[in-house]
Amino acid sequence: MQPRTPLLLCVLLSQVLLLTSAEDLDCTPGFQQKVFHINQPAQFIEDQAILNLTFSDCKGNNKLHYEVSSPYFKVNDDGSLVALKNITAVGKTLFVHARTPHAEDMAELVIVGGKDIQGSLQVVDSDRPEGSKFRLTGKGVDQEPKGIFRINENTGSVSVTQTLDREMIATYQLFVETTDVNGKTLEGPVPLEVIVIDQNDNRPIFREGPYVGHVMEGSPTGTTVMRMTAFDADDPATDNALLRYNIRQQTPDKPSPNMFYIDPEKGDIVTVVSPALLDRETLENPKYELIIEAQDMAGLDVGLTGTATATIMIDDKNDHSPKFTKKEFQATVEEGAVGVIVNLTVEDKDDPATGAWRAAYTIINGNPGQSFEIHTNPQTNEGMLSVVKPLDYEISAFHTLLIKVENEDPLVPDVSYGPSSTATVHITVLDVNEGPVFYPDPMTVTRQENISVGSVLLTVNATDPDSLQHQTIRYSVYKDPAGWLNINPINGTVDTMAVLDRESPFVHNSVYTALFLAIDSGNPPATGTGTLLITLEDVNDNAPFIYPTVAEVCDDAKNLSVVILGASDKDLHPNTDPFKFEIHKQAVPDKVWKVSKINNTHALVSLLQNLNKANYHLPIMVTDSGKPPMTNITDLRVQVCSCKNSKVDCNAAGALHLSMTSLLLVSLFTLACL
C-alpha cells in the first residue's frame, strides 16, 4: 500500500467570507465585500484612510449616501473610511450603511487584533503526492441544497457559487479529502465547517396585528395600555436583531402630541398625560392611532425599521349622571285611555354604547294605584311614561308624578346624582262622555214559564259615570231573540209581551238571555249594554208521546209480543216519568190486546190471540206524573202479515216489510240502551 501523506489543513480565516464567482453572476446591487476585518491599531488617526469600501447600485450610484454606526467615523464620497478624530478604542464591530434611490446595503467591520486577515479560504497540503486532487463533499455540495460550494481540485481553494442566506441555513458541514488520479482517497475526509456570518438584511416586522388597546378615561399617569412586539429574522445573538421601539406619529395630536410613551426595549405603551387630560368627554376623538416603529441595531441610525399601527380606545366610565332637560313635564290623557302619554328627555355625556349612558327611570311618588309605568326608549334614552290602568276623570282630574333617572351602571365613587336627576310630571285627565253602566250586570230573575202576558219581571238600573254632567238615561231592548220582552224607556221596567216557554229553542238549559241598552243624553250620546238572564221554572204543559207508532206481527206467530213502546216528555221532573201506558178500552175489545209495564218509560204490547192478516189501529193512552197530570192518546198501527218459508208478506196489510222478530229485536235494543 502506498504510504499516506499527512494532510495539513490551514484555515487562514477564523470567520470565512466566501465570494461569489464573478464570472457566474451579473451585477449585484450592494457592497462588493460584506465583511471586513481590521487590526486594532494603537490609534486610529484623524482623516487617515482605514480601508476603502466598494458599493454599487448597478445604476451609477447617483445620490449615494453613507452612514456609520459610530459617530467617530465617516465614509468619504470615494468610499474611504476615516476617523473624525484620533481614537484609541471603538469596540468590536462597526457597521456602514450605504443607500441610493435604487439600492441599499450594509457592510460589517470587525475590529480584531494581531492577525493578518485575508478574504479567502485556502486548503494547503505541504507534502501532497504529484497528481493528487482535492475533493469536497457534504450539504451544499453533493447534498441538497446542491452546488452552493465548490473546490479547486488543484489548489484547494473553496468558493461559493450563489448568495447565502443565514436565515435559511446558518452553517454548513463540509468534508475535504485528497484523491489520486483514479479517484481513490489518499487522505481525509477532514471536516470543514462553514459559518455564514449574519448580515442585517431583515427588517423588523409586526406579525400579530391588528393591534388594539383600551384604557379607561381618567387612568393614572403610567397606566399600561398594551404591548407591541416585533420579530427580526436576523441572528438574535447580534445587534442585527436587537430591537428598539419608538412612537413615530400620534393621530390626533390633541390635547397633547405626546399622550403615550412606549418602552424602547419592552414595547409597552403607557399613558404619560395627567388623568384630567384623559377625559373621554372632552377629547376631540376617543380613538388614537399610533405609528409604532421597531428598529434593529439597537436603534442606531444604520438599523433597519418596520412599522405598525396601534389603535388605542379611551373607554368610558360612568363619571356623568343623567340630567332631565327640564324640571317639569306636562301631559294630557283622556279618561279610559291607555298608552304612552309623554316622553321625558335627559342628557348624559357618557358613551351611548355603554351602561354609563343608558338611563333607568323610576316613579318614586304619585302612583299609589299603579296606574302609570315608565320604560326607557333604547334608541333615544327617553323615558316613555304610559297609562296602564284607565284613569277616571270623576275620581281625579289631575295627577302629579315624581320621576327619578339614573344609569344602568353605578357612578364612579367621586360622582353623585344631583337634583337634576329628578323631574315632576303634571298629568291632566280629560273628561269623556262615558256610557251608562248597568248594575248588577248580568241581571238575573227566576220565573215560571207560561206566566201571563204583561207580567213585570224586574226594573233595570243603569247609572251614568259622568256624575258631574247630570245627564238623563233612556232604555231600549237590544237583543230579544224570541220577542217576549218589553222595557219602559224612562224607568227601565221590563215586562212580558208574550208567553214565556221553557221548551222554546231560544232557551238554553232553562235560561233565556236578553240584552238592553242604556243611552245617556250627552252629545254625542254614549251607550251602555246590560244582560238579563231569565231562569224559567218548568210547568207541566207538555203531554208525553209514544214511539214507535207502527208495528208488525205474523198471523201465525207463536210469540204474540207485538212491540215495545217508549214514551218521552219535554217537561222536567217531576212532570215526566214514570209514565202510565193503557189501551183506550172504549175502542178496542179487552180480550185481543194487552199492555204490560216494563219500567218507568217503556211498556210491552202483545196479542192474546192470533189475528188475521190485516192492519189494526190500537189507541195507546200515556199519562205523565205531573200535577195535574197530562195524557196523550196515539194510534199504534199494527200490521198482521203472512209469514211463510221465511218470507213476510204484508201486502194485504199494508206496505211495511219488517218481521215481528226484527221489530222485537229493535225494541229490546232500545230498551237496553235506556
Side-chain angles (χ1 to χ4, degrees), residues 562 583 588 590-594 606-608 611 616 618 638:
V562 177
I583 297 175
V588 179
D590 290 341
K591 297 182 180 180
V592 177
W593 305 93
K594 179 181 179 182
S606 57
L607 286 170
L608 299 178
L611 297 178
Y616 298 88
L618 180 64
V638 179

Side-chain angles (χ1 to χ4, degrees), residues 15 31 33-40 44 49-54 66-70 73-75 79-83 90-98 105-112 197-199 240 297 302:
Q15 292 181 324
F31 284 104
Q33 183 173 338
K34 306 292 187 180
V35 179
F36 296 85
H37 292 78
I38 304 171
N39 286 328
Q40 171 69 57
F44 288 100
I50 301 170
L51 55 81
N52 289 321
L53 302 169
T54 303
Y66 292 100
E67 295 176 348
V68 185
S69 61
S70 172
F73 295 86
K74 73 173 182 178
V75 178
S80 60
L81 175 69
V82 299
V90 295
K92 295 181 179 181
T93 308
L94 293 177
F95 295 93
V96 178
H97 186 204
D105 199 4
M106 184 173 296
E108 181 179 7
L109 284 64
V110 180
I111 311 298
V112 297
I197 299 173
D198 185 40
Q199 295 186 62
N240 295 341
M297 302 302 298
V302 294

Side-chain angles (χ1 to χ4, degrees), residues 340 342-346 352 354 357-361 373-386 405 408:
V340 177
V342 66
N343 290 318
L344 310 182
T345 54
V346 295
T354 67
W357 177 81
R358 291 190 292 269
Y361 297 86
E373 287 184 359
I374 188 166
H375 301 281
T376 304
N377 185 318
Q379 282 74 41
T380 64
N381 220 25
E382 295 177 341
M384 301 181 295
L385 182 63
S386 303
V405 63
E408 288 184 2

Side-chain angles (χ1 to χ4, degrees), residues 6-237:
L7 179 65
L8 175 62
L9 296 178
C10 297
V11 180
L12 301 179
L13 296 178
S14 60
Q15 292 181 324
V16 181
L17 172 66
L18 300 176
L19 302 177
T20 304
S21 299
E23 66 270 21
D24 296 336
L25 300 176
D26 295 330
C27 176
T28 302
F31 284 104
Q32 302 307 301
Q33 183 173 338
K34 306 292 187 180
V35 179
F36 296 85
H37 292 78
I38 304 171
N39 286 328
Q40 171 69 57
Q43 188 177 55
F44 288 100
I45 306 301
E46 181 179 356
D47 291 331
Q48 179 179 337
I50 301 170
L51 55 81
N52 289 321
L53 302 169
T54 303
F55 175 88
S56 174
D57 66 357
C58 301
K59 292 189 178 181
N61 282 357
N62 185 29
K63 296 182 180 180
L64 175 60
H65 175 71
Y66 292 100
E67 295 176 348
V68 185
S69 61
S70 172
Y72 306 116
F73 295 86
K74 73 173 182 178
V75 178
N76 295 322
D77 293 340
D78 61 359
S80 60
L81 175 69
V82 299
L84 297 177
K85 63 180 181 178
N86 295 338
I87 305 170
T88 58
V90 295
K92 295 181 179 181
T93 308
L94 293 177
F95 295 93
V96 178
H97 186 204
R99 180 191 298 118
T100 74
H102 304 290
E104 62 178 302
D105 199 4
M106 184 173 296
E108 181 179 7
L109 284 64
V110 180
I111 311 298
V112 297
K115 293 183 180 180
D116 183 16
I117 306 302
Q118 300 180 21
S120 64
L121 172 65
Q122 186 75 31
V123 179
V124 180
D125 188 344
S126 60
D127 188 15
R128 181 162 58 90
E130 184 178 353
S132 65
K133 299 180 182 298
F134 290 99
R135 182 163 63 190
L136 186 65
T137 59
K139 182 178 180 181
V141 182
D142 56 350
Q143 300 176 21
E144 294 294 343
K146 296 180 180 180
I148 295 178
F149 302 98
R150 66 186 179 186
I151 190 169
N152 187 308
E153 61 182 12
N154 296 317
T155 65
S157 176
V158 179
S159 61
V160 63
T161 64
Q162 56 186 273
T163 302
L164 302 179
D165 187 350
R166 189 204 67 85
E167 285 70 47
M168 294 295 294
I169 302 177
T171 62
Y172 295 86
Q173 188 68 42
L174 307 180
F175 297 91
V176 181
E177 57 186 349
T178 58
T179 64
D180 60 17
V181 293
N182 297 318
K184 182 179 180 181
T185 300
L186 298 176
E187 190 71 25
V190 175
L192 172 64
E193 183 178 15
V194 179
I195 300 174
V196 182
I197 299 173
D198 185 40
Q199 295 186 62
N200 192 18
D201 58 349
N202 289 278
R203 294 181 179 276
I205 58 174
F206 291 88
R207 301 190 298 185
E208 300 175 357
Y211 297 91
V212 180
H214 293 264
V215 61
M216 188 71 69
E217 64 171 327
S219 295
T221 303
T223 299
T224 299
V225 181
M226 60 190 301
R227 172 171 288 188
M228 298 281 289
T229 55
F231 169 78
D232 195 312
D234 290 318
D235 188 354

Side-chain angles (χ1 to χ4, degrees), residues 437-445 458-463 514 516 529-533:
V437 178
F438 283 87
Y439 182 81
D441 189 28
M443 301 161 282
T444 59
V445 295
L458 81 164
T459 298
V460 301
N461 179 34
T463 59
F516 297 95
T529 303
T531 301
L532 173 61
L533 303 178

Side-chain angles (χ1 to χ4, degrees), residues 369-444:
Q370 306 302 310
S371 299
F372 302 93
E373 287 184 359
I374 188 166
H375 301 281
T376 304
N377 185 318
Q379 282 74 41
T380 64
N381 220 25
E382 295 177 341
M384 301 181 295
L385 182 63
S386 303
V387 176
V388 294
K389 293 181 180 179
L391 304 176
D392 192 337
Y393 171 85
E394 284 70 33
I395 295 177
S396 177
F398 300 97
H399 296 268
T400 300
L401 304 180
L402 184 62
I403 310 293
K404 178 181 72 173
V405 63
E406 53 192 352
N407 291 128
E408 288 184 2
D409 292 348
L411 288 171
V412 295
D414 54 341
V415 178
S416 62
Y417 289 102
S420 59
S421 297
T422 60
T424 302
V425 183
H426 299 285
I427 302 166
T428 301
V429 182
L430 303 178
D431 190 20
V432 175
N433 187 24
E434 301 171 88
V437 178
F438 283 87
Y439 182 81
D441 189 28
M443 301 161 282
T444 59

Side-chain angles (χ1 to χ4, degrees), residues 184-381:
K184 182 179 180 181
T185 300
L186 298 176
E187 190 71 25
V190 175
L192 172 64
E193 183 178 15
V194 179
I195 300 174
V196 182
I197 299 173
D198 185 40
Q199 295 186 62
N200 192 18
D201 58 349
N202 289 278
R203 294 181 179 276
I205 58 174
F206 291 88
R207 301 190 298 185
E208 300 175 357
Y211 297 91
V212 180
H214 293 264
V215 61
M216 188 71 69
E217 64 171 327
S219 295
T221 303
T223 299
T224 299
V225 181
M226 60 190 301
R227 172 171 288 188
M228 298 281 289
T229 55
F231 169 78
D232 195 312
D234 290 318
D235 188 354
T238 69
D239 286 351
N240 295 341
L242 184 58
L243 305 183
R244 294 292 182 265
Y245 301 92
N246 69 88
I247 300 175
R248 291 286 301 275
Q249 181 180 335
Q250 171 191 300
T251 305
D253 59 359
K254 302 289 190 311
S256 168
N258 299 304
M259 299 285 290
F260 305 94
Y261 165 79
I262 188 168
D263 186 304
E265 296 184 2
K266 298 179 180 178
D268 289 338
I269 300 176
V270 299
T271 62
V272 294
V273 295
S274 66
L277 288 181
L278 206 63
D279 185 355
R280 196 198 67 86
E281 286 74 38
T282 61
L283 295 177
E284 176 182 328
N285 189 339
K287 180 174 75 172
Y288 286 87
E289 290 190 348
L290 307 180
I291 304 300
I292 305 299
E293 179 185 73
Q295 187 172 28
D296 58 20
M297 302 302 298
L300 295 177
D301 292 341
V302 294
L304 302 179
T305 62
T307 61
T309 300
T311 301
I312 299 178
M313 306 297 300
I314 310 301
D315 292 339
D316 186 41
K317 65 180 179 181
N318 196 10
D319 55 352
H320 293 85
S321 64
K323 299 179 181 180
F324 284 102
T325 56
K326 51 186 178 181
K327 293 300 296 178
E328 294 185 347
F329 294 85
Q330 306 291 330
T332 58
V333 58
E334 291 184 347
E335 64 173 329
V338 295
V340 177
I341 59 174
V342 66
N343 290 318
L344 310 182
T345 54
V346 295
E347 294 177 344
D348 195 319
K349 296 180 180 179
D350 291 313
D351 185 358
T354 67
W357 177 81
R358 291 190 292 269
Y361 297 86
T362 307
I363 302 173
I364 58 177
N365 195 18
N367 190 28
Q370 306 302 310
S371 299
F372 302 93
E373 287 184 359
I374 188 166
H375 301 281
T376 304
N377 185 318
Q379 282 74 41
T380 64
N381 220 25

